[in-house]
Amino acid sequence: MIKRSLMSVLTPTFISAFMALGTLWFYLGRMGRLDVFLESISFKDLFIVVALFLAGSVAMICLVFYIPSLLVSLIIKKENTIFYNYQTIKDNLIRLSLIIYLLAITVFFVAVWFVDAKKYAGWLVFTMAGSGALLITLIIAYFFNRKAVSEVLQFKNKRIKKEYYRKFYFFIPVSLFLISFMYAYPLSLIFGKLHPPEPAGDRKVMMYATLTSLVVILFSLLPVTVYLRGKSTEGLSVRIVKVISAALAGLFFMSWIITSIPVLIINGTMKLSGIADFHPHVYLVQDKDYPAELLDKVLWKLTPLQNQERYVIHGVTMYSFGDIRLICPVKVLNAYVNSMTFRPGDRAYDQQLNKALAAAAQDCIPFSKNEVKALQSR
């Protein structure tokens, strides 16, 4: 009875409306402009559009962070009929993946320090660092699975022995090592938003970058771990649900340290859906709809037209939904971009940035869409 009642309430329309309203509320709340929230949500038919773009933004963020996890699932097979103890081997390979990526990040930062602080030749340092990390990877891979692999292969013929010795002791470790380079994109995306406290020396910056990297690596392997450790008797739909749940859980836990992740998702939703346009434009306004005397002429770069009945302003559409178009001075863009930076786990810093954004957004004006017309940018 309870299940039937829940199913009648949790319809696709309700879920999409909840997702859309939550997205709009979060976005406007960060800007301190919830005053336009209720005025703009009369167009319920648009909720499904916002919900779809939110799902798309989450999917793109997941793709960025979980590409290594996806590739690992292609390298480490879920099943192997030759090895009765393959579960042990598989678990060891998952641990090996984690160790390889933590090792690769550590070696990378040490190499950067040698190049930057000690002024060694970059190509020489990175070549030696990469070769050393690969050698350590092969050694660890050998000792991790030596007993489990030999236990089975000792009773097999030479062809099978050679095939699986090469596979477990060389090809898989080398492939896992090469996957570590795939972390370059998600980490570069995150490092671009990292803002250590001022003044920040090289060691402090390195510490913050290392902590952020470790968080990304630890949680990025969560989906593939759930997939590989799942029971082979489970149906495809159950596996998909588990992997998606693990990916969303990993994203949630990463967000507690890398606090700009939710902001990046909402920002992507706003841009893709066209609700926000983060490019400056020139807008034509009728003086009878919004008297020019109410505006700061310098802030808005206001220019009256010859007939004095209309004027143009320079601004940016930070929010456009329903009948409401929230137009802000161009300077708000700086506060908005700055609000997407973070310090690992520092909520006080986030609140400080949100307050600065909300203060800047107080100059924004909610126009009705028929009161303002966007012209070609100058």
Side-chain angles (χ1 to χ4, degrees), residues 166-209:
R166 286 198 297 263
K167 183 176 182 179
F168 288 121
Y169 296 151
F170 183 77
F171 290 117
I172 290 181
V174 170
S175 299
L176 294 177
F177 176 78
L178 292 177
I179 290 174
S180 65
F181 291 96
M182 298 302 297
Y183 281 104
Y185 181 70
L187 290 179
S188 65
L189 179 67
I190 294 301
F191 290 162
K193 305 298 181 184
L194 181 62
H195 190 271
E198 299 291 345
D202 291 341
R203 290 186 180 180
K204 184 172 287 188
V205 172
M206 195 77 71
M207 181 185 70
Y208 275 93

Side-chain angles (χ1 to χ4, degrees), residues 136-287:
I136 294 173
T137 295
L138 294 173
I139 294 173
I140 295 175
Y142 173 75
F143 284 105
F144 257 41
N145 275 322
R146 179 181 59 174
K147 182 178 179 181
V149 171
S150 300
E151 203 173 82
V152 174
L153 291 184
Q154 62 180 329
F155 302 109
K156 304 298 180 180
N157 59 48
K158 289 184 178 180
R159 184 184 64 82
I160 293 179
K161 283 182 179 180
K162 287 183 179 180
E163 177 185 349
Y164 281 96
Y165 278 139
R166 286 198 297 263
K167 183 176 182 179
F168 288 121
Y169 296 151
F170 183 77
F171 290 117
I172 290 181
V174 170
S175 299
L176 294 177
F177 176 78
L178 292 177
I179 290 174
S180 65
F181 291 96
M182 298 302 297
Y183 281 104
Y185 181 70
L187 290 179
S188 65
L189 179 67
I190 294 301
F191 290 162
K193 305 298 181 184
L194 181 62
H195 190 271
E198 299 291 345
D202 291 341
R203 290 186 180 180
K204 184 172 287 188
V205 172
M206 195 77 71
M207 181 185 70
Y208 275 93
T210 303
L211 174 61
T212 305
S213 303
L214 295 180
V215 170
V216 171
I217 290 171
L218 284 172
F219 289 108
S220 68
L221 292 176
L222 188 58
V224 71
T225 302
V226 170
Y227 168 73
L228 291 176
R229 289 185 172 177
K231 297 179 181 178
S232 57
T233 55
E234 293 175 340
L236 178 61
S237 59
V238 175
R239 294 182 187 179
I240 292 174
V241 169
K242 283 188 173 182
V243 170
I244 292 176
S245 299
L248 294 177
L251 210 59
F252 174 78
F253 289 118
M254 273 193 280
S255 299
W256 282 94
I257 304 299
I258 306 170
T259 54
S260 63
I261 289 178
V263 181
L264 291 173
I265 293 173
I266 299 301
N267 180 69
T269 303
M270 295 294 107
K271 289 182 67 174
L272 291 173
S273 63
I275 293 176
D277 179 6
F278 301 113
H279 297 92
H281 291 280
V282 177
Y283 298 92
L284 177 66
V285 184
Q286 297 282 347
D287 191 74

Side-chain angles (χ1 to χ4, degrees), residues 351-370:
Q351 293 176 0
Q352 177 186 339
L353 294 179
N354 289 340
K355 287 180 180 179
L357 174 60
Q362 292 309 303
D363 293 319
C364 301
I365 300 174
F367 291 96
S368 294
K369 286 191 174 178
N370 58 0

Side-chain angles (χ1 to χ4, degrees), residues 63-83:
L63 183 63
V64 168
F65 284 105
Y66 296 128
I67 282 180
S69 192
L70 175 62
L71 294 177
V72 169
S73 69
L74 299 177
I75 300 300
I76 305 175
K77 301 301 180 183
K78 186 174 178 63
E79 302 294 335
N80 191 303
T81 55
I82 293 180
F83 291 83

Side-chain angles (χ1 to χ4, degrees), residues 19-177:
M19 293 170 62
L21 290 173
T23 301
L24 299 178
W25 184 87
F26 179 87
Y27 178 75
L28 290 173
R30 290 185 66 247
M31 295 179 61
R33 294 310 304 256
L34 287 174
D35 54 305
V36 302
F37 177 70
L38 291 177
E39 296 181 53
S40 64
I41 60 173
S42 57
F43 285 72
K44 297 179 181 179
D45 293 340
L46 297 177
F47 287 169
I48 184 64
V49 177
V50 179
L52 288 174
F53 279 111
L54 174 62
S57 296
V58 172
M60 286 190 291
I61 288 291
C62 285
L63 183 63
V64 168
F65 284 105
Y66 296 128
I67 282 180
S69 192
L70 175 62
L71 294 177
V72 169
S73 69
L74 299 177
I75 300 300
I76 305 175
K77 301 301 180 183
K78 186 174 178 63
E79 302 294 335
N80 191 303
T81 55
I82 293 180
F83 291 83
Y84 65 85
N85 59 352
Y86 186 66
Q87 185 62 48
T88 301
I89 296 174
K90 192 165 55 175
D91 289 344
N92 287 338
L93 290 175
I94 294 173
R95 296 187 190 98
L96 177 65
S97 301
L98 178 59
I99 292 173
I100 289 173
Y101 303 141
L102 294 178
L103 173 67
I105 288 296
T106 304
V107 170
F108 171 76
F109 283 124
V110 171
V112 169
W113 181 79
F114 270 103
V115 172
D116 186 59
K118 300 298 182 180
K119 307 302 179 184
Y120 288 107
W123 68 269
L124 178 61
V125 172
F126 285 109
T127 300
M128 293 179 62
S131 302
L134 179 58
L135 179 61
I136 294 173
T137 295
L138 294 173
I139 294 173
I140 295 175
Y142 173 75
F143 284 105
F144 257 41
N145 275 322
R146 179 181 59 174
K147 182 178 179 181
V149 171
S150 300
E151 203 173 82
V152 174
L153 291 184
Q154 62 180 329
F155 302 109
K156 304 298 180 180
N157 59 48
K158 289 184 178 180
R159 184 184 64 82
I160 293 179
K161 283 182 179 180
K162 287 183 179 180
E163 177 185 349
Y164 281 96
Y165 278 139
R166 286 198 297 263
K167 183 176 182 179
F168 288 121
Y169 296 151
F170 183 77
F171 290 117
I172 290 181
V174 170
S175 299
L176 294 177
F177 176 78

